[in-house]
Amino acid sequence: MFIGRNKELDALNRLYQSDKFEFVVIYGRRRVGKTALINHFIDDKTAIYFMGVESNEKQNLENFSKSIIEFSSGIQTETSFASYQAALEYVFKLAENERVILTIDEYPYVARASKSLASTLQMLIDKYKDRSKLMLILCGSSMSYMEDQVLAYKAPLYGRRTAQMKIMPFDFEECCTYLSGLSDEDKAYIYGIVGGTPQYLLQMDDKLSVEENIKNTYLNPMSFLYEEPLNLLKQEVREPAIYNAIITAVATGHSRMSEISTKVGESTTVCSGYLKNLIDLGIIKKETPYGEKSSRKSIYSIEDNMFYFWYRFVLDNASVIARGAVNLVYRRIEAQLNDYMGKVFEEICTQYLWKLLLKGKMPIEFVSLGRWWGNDPRKKIQAEIDIMGEQDSNSAVFAECKWRNENVDLDVLETLVDRSGLFHYTTIHYFLFSKTGFTKGCMEQAEKMRNVTLVSYEDMISLFSTSPVPYQPIM
């Protein structure tokens, strides 16, 4: 089943309908659905699709040649072009009279094995771009390679692309579409467990409970997800052991650079380089308190929910899981699941606020959102605000998010109002988000203040579950 990606499909179809040379770069982390997007796009079009393999130049050239010859003649043959230049020039000429799409998937595998490929492409694009109707798509999972060797200023292909797409995991709304068979509450739990990466969502069965899904995947040594983080690291990085140690440190609450360095036993300089790579891979994120630029206050957390869940619950229990004590491990997970969901719920609430803004329903039209933490000099304590965002120097929104099995009481609103006093905005709107609802006292005070919006998870789901406009090709 193909879901979502409407913006990407619309953009690709606009480029396709230009009927002139187009060069699209598509990249993103593994499992995010790049190949599925491309295959869905080219399904009803005249297209040559070739996926590179991690092999030598000869093997990839032979495979590329077969794709081209089979497309042009319909015959499978062992014949091969003498060079990439000959093969590519043949395709460029094919596209002089008709619209043809050429996709080279996993381009980094091909280009690493053929050092001159990028320069050859550059030469042929410059030669044929004004008279060719070719739509060239280069796709890659190695984000560092695609950014440094294809998109960067010093790369041979710089300036030739007509569009680029960084494919990101689905947001919560798109996941709800896929998880339609689950209860509303379970949709949030599954999103917290695997995030929005399509390949991980495919491992979830929306006809089963959250407990059954966890047991069938993370607690099953034969499942796809059981060792996925380690397998992914082995594919993406050269020293997976150090990366694993750093992610483990972050997952266990060591959020500052000095703490991570001490836990891992490497210098902060060394850790900084590894953390940067993990950020580029979308596994770790770096945050500073909202509105501040001081790196001294920066903290690191796990951005990808699948990695977050695995390092929180699976790694330490691996020996027990291997012995088949699935029920024991699940009981440990279940006891901590609501606490685990706190961070996930903040993420869902942030997406909700952005959705309200895009629908023109936000009382404060913020330009960005983020967390804030720091010292409260009035009380000489550390304070945190789950979400805040400013429209300008005078207007801001503040939000608190509570994923717990009890109604949010007045004290939560009072604390949020008090902490907003650490800033100097004249126009403020408050949001309280709750898994279950709000006490009478909280609702009465919110109504009295007139600048407070109370949002239950049920309210959020009704907005996220609004049927998206189905994908329609642009005519």
Side-chain angles (χ1 to χ4, degrees):
M1 180 177 70
F2 186 87
I3 63 168
R5 305 299 186 206
N6 291 341
K7 291 180 182 178
E8 291 88 349
L9 286 166
D10 284 344
L12 287 170
N13 273 283
R14 287 192 183 94
L15 293 165
Y16 179 79
Q17 289 159 16
S18 74
D19 212 35
K20 63 182 182 180
F21 175 76
E22 301 287 357
F23 172 22
V24 187
V25 178
I26 297 177
Y27 66 113
R29 55 177 293 185
R30 297 182 193 279
R31 328 286 200 230
V32 82
K34 303 179 297 300
T35 299
L37 169 66
I38 292 169
N39 285 333
H40 192 76
F41 167 64
I42 68 175
D43 185 50
D44 58 349
K45 300 175 178 66
T46 303
I48 303 168
Y49 176 85
F50 163 64
M51 176 176 283
V53 294
E54 201 167 7
S55 184
N56 59 17
E57 181 175 10
K58 183 176 184 293
Q59 177 72 64
N60 275 306
L61 179 57
E62 286 177 357
N63 293 345
F64 186 38
S65 299
K66 288 177 184 177
S67 299
I68 296 169
I69 294 169
E70 185 175 349
F71 164 80
S72 59
S73 66
I75 300 172
Q76 290 187 344
T77 176
E78 297 302 315
T79 305
S80 180
F81 287 95
S83 65
Y84 278 111
Q85 180 172 336
L88 288 163
E89 193 146 21
Y90 180 83
V91 176
F92 270 95
K93 288 179 178 178
L94 272 179
E96 284 185 329
N97 298 315
E98 64 172 325
R99 188 53 143 175
V100 177
I101 302 170
L102 170 62
T103 297
I104 302 179
D105 202 348
E106 292 300 354
Y107 171 77
Y109 288 156
V110 188
R112 285 190 183 112
S114 177
K115 303 301 182 185
S116 62
L117 179 57
S119 297
T120 300
L121 272 170
Q122 174 193 1
M123 180 269 292
L124 292 174
I125 290 170
D126 292 346
K127 179 179 178 181
Y128 287 100
K129 65 181 179 181
D130 294 329
R131 62 179 189 268
S132 178
K133 296 182 179 182
L134 181 67
M135 183 173 182
L136 172 64
I137 299 175
L138 298 187
C139 179
S141 298
S142 174
M143 293 199 287
S144 59
Y145 189 95
M146 297 299 286
E147 289 171 347
D148 296 342
Q149 303 299 322
V150 180
L151 298 173
Y153 177 75
K154 293 182 179 180
L157 291 170
Y158 178 80
R160 272 75 182 176
R161 72 183 185 277
T162 55
Q164 72 278 327
M165 296 180 183
K166 184 176 183 179
I167 308 301
M168 303 297 290
F170 289 146
D171 61 16
F172 179 60
E173 180 179 15
E174 290 171 308
C175 291
C176 285
T177 304
Y178 176 75
L179 301 169
S180 57
L182 291 172
S183 70
D184 291 340
E185 187 173 312
D186 283 355
K187 289 173 185 175
Y189 281 115
I190 293 296
Y191 180 67
I193 289 165
V194 294
T197 301
Q199 189 64 42
Y200 305 150
L201 282 167
L202 287 171
Q203 311 306 311
M204 298 290 115
D205 188 336
D206 66 354
K207 296 178 178 61
L208 300 179
S209 67
V210 171
E211 176 179 349
E212 290 170 311
N213 272 300
I214 291 174
K215 288 179 176 178
N216 288 348
T217 54
Y218 289 105
L219 307 187
N220 176 8
M222 292 181 289
S223 78
F224 173 83
L225 287 176
Y226 181 66
E227 292 185 333
E228 171 64 2
L230 298 180
N231 291 334
L232 194 61
L233 287 176
K234 288 174 184 176
Q235 293 178 57
E236 294 287 354
V237 300
R238 293 179 181 176
E239 298 172 286
I242 298 179
Y243 284 97
N244 184 54
I246 289 174
I247 300 171
T248 302
V250 175
T252 52
H254 302 81
S255 58
R256 299 185 183 277
M257 178 65 79
S258 58
E259 297 169 350
I260 297 168
S261 171
T262 301
K263 180 68 176 177
V264 174
E266 298 282 355
S267 69
T268 55
T269 303
V270 169
C271 288
S272 177
Y274 288 109
L275 282 164
K276 181 184 182 302
N277 291 337
L278 289 169
I279 291 169
D280 290 342
L281 288 171
I283 296 170
I284 294 285
K285 66 178 176 181
K286 179 181 179 180
E287 295 178 279
T288 53
Y290 185 86
E292 300 183 25
K293 296 180 180 179
S294 172
S295 60
R296 186 173 54 84
K297 292 186 177 181
S298 295
I299 62 172
Y300 296 86
S301 60
I302 299 181
E303 181 168 23
D304 181 270
N305 288 350
M306 187 277 293
F307 272 79
Y308 182 37
F309 187 89
W310 194 90
Y311 278 89
R312 174 85 175 256
F313 297 118
V314 179
L315 184 61
D316 284 349
N317 286 302
S319 297
V320 186
I321 296 168
R323 288 181 174 272
V326 172
N327 292 330
L328 171 63
V329 178
Y330 182 76
R331 286 197 299 272
R332 293 174 180 175
I333 294 172
E334 188 177 34
Q336 302 176 58
L337 202 49
N338 272 340
D339 176 63
Y340 167 87
M341 283 295 294
K343 170 182 173 291
V344 177
F345 190 49
E346 287 179 23
E347 179 189 341
I348 295 173
C349 294
T350 299
Q351 293 178 22
Y352 177 87
L353 291 174
W354 277 110
K355 190 168 177 65
L356 282 185
L357 179 72
L358 296 175
K359 283 180 168 287
K361 295 181 178 180
M362 270 299 298
I364 300 293
E365 296 185 345
F366 54 82
V367 295
S368 61
L369 292 174
R371 287 199 298 152
W372 180 88
W373 60 92
N375 182 51
D376 182 347
R378 304 166 306 177
K379 300 178 180 179
K380 294 185 170 60
I381 60 170
Q382 291 294 303
E384 295 183 8
I385 297 171
D386 288 343
I387 305 171
M388 68 172 289
E390 67 174 23
Q391 176 176 324
D392 50 45
S393 58
N394 297 314
S395 309
V397 60
F398 292 86
E400 190 72 16
C401 316
K402 298 296 182 186
W403 183 269
R404 57 193 188 193
N405 294 321
E406 58 184 34
N407 290 343
V408 169
D409 204 354
L410 177 59
D411 64 316
V412 176
L413 176 57
E414 290 174 338
T415 300
L416 182 61
V417 171
D418 178 65
R419 289 176 181 173
S420 71
L422 293 167
F423 303 86
H424 302 287
Y425 300 108
T426 54
T427 302
I428 294 175
H429 196 91
Y430 301 100
F431 278 83
L432 289 190
F433 293 96
S434 170
K435 176 187 177 184
T436 55
F438 305 89
T439 64
K440 183 180 179 182
C442 184
M443 290 189 286
E444 288 175 349
Q445 181 62 18
E447 187 174 356
K448 188 183 302 182
M449 289 175 63
R450 303 175 69 89
N451 65 336
V452 180
T453 301
L454 304 180
V455 187
S456 69
Y457 178 64
E458 184 179 355
D459 298 329
M460 298 170 70
I461 272 292
S462 65
L463 183 71
F464 284 128
S465 298
T466 302
S467 298
V469 178
Y471 168 70
Q472 295 289 343
I474 299 169
M475 304 304 291

